[in-house]
Amino acid sequence: MTDIDHRYADSDPLACPPATGSLADLLERVLDKGIVIAGDIKIDLLDIELLTIRLRLFIASVDTAKKAGIDWWETDPALSSRAARDALAEENARLRARLDALDDALEHDEEDGVTAAVEETSGAVR
């Protein structure tokens, strides 16, 4: 004769609730591993697409995001003081280059103007 295991046959599924962790444990796991939430919202009218919104949400710690190759907050001037200084220095360098080019063009035009005036005067004397 065979033995039948009756340990789980009469057990109530709600008698042993699933193991639960604290919210802090869950948050730590999500930030450590990262989680991606993606969704699309599409609005059509008579089979004509009017609007499509694509949502992508990546929730992770800074270290996990950097491992995933995401570091836009380091280069956004609105979020990083270093990026703001870098953007300001870059704009300053561009403006200085433009001023130098304008000064060179102005000096070149003045030299051409003096040469043209000398040629006009020498032509009138002849």
Side-chain angles (χ1 to χ4, degrees):
M1 203 173 196
T2 61
D3 292 331
I4 300 174
D5 190 2
H6 294 285
R7 286 182 290 182
Y8 300 108
D10 295 330
S11 67
D12 183 14
L14 298 177
C16 297
T20 59
S22 68
L23 182 60
D25 293 337
L26 177 64
L27 185 59
E28 182 180 350
R29 177 177 285 179
V30 166
L31 292 177
D32 184 44
K33 301 293 182 186
I35 185 170
V36 175
I37 301 170
D40 295 336
I41 299 171
K42 187 186 265 189
I43 299 174
D44 293 340
L45 179 64
L46 301 173
D47 292 331
I48 298 171
E49 184 175 322
L50 297 177
L51 177 67
T52 298
I53 300 173
R54 306 187 97 193
L55 302 172
R56 304 293 180 263
L57 179 63
F58 179 59
I59 300 171
S61 68
V62 170
D63 293 333
T64 304
K66 283 184 178 180
K67 288 178 188 174
I70 301 170
D71 61 354
W72 51 264
W73 59 87
E74 292 180 349
T75 57
D76 188 346
L79 299 174
S80 169
S81 60
R82 183 183 53 160
R85 283 191 308 268
D86 291 347
L88 187 59
E90 182 181 320
E91 181 182 13
N92 193 4
R94 275 195 328 257
L95 290 173
R96 287 183 186 275
R98 286 183 65 191
L99 278 174
D100 290 342
L102 287 172
D103 284 343
D104 290 344
L106 185 60
E107 286 176 9
H108 184 23
D109 285 346
E110 286 177 355
E111 290 173 2
D112 287 348
V114 170
T115 307
V118 169
E119 288 177 358
E120 286 176 16
T121 328
S122 64
V125 172
R126 286 185 191 171

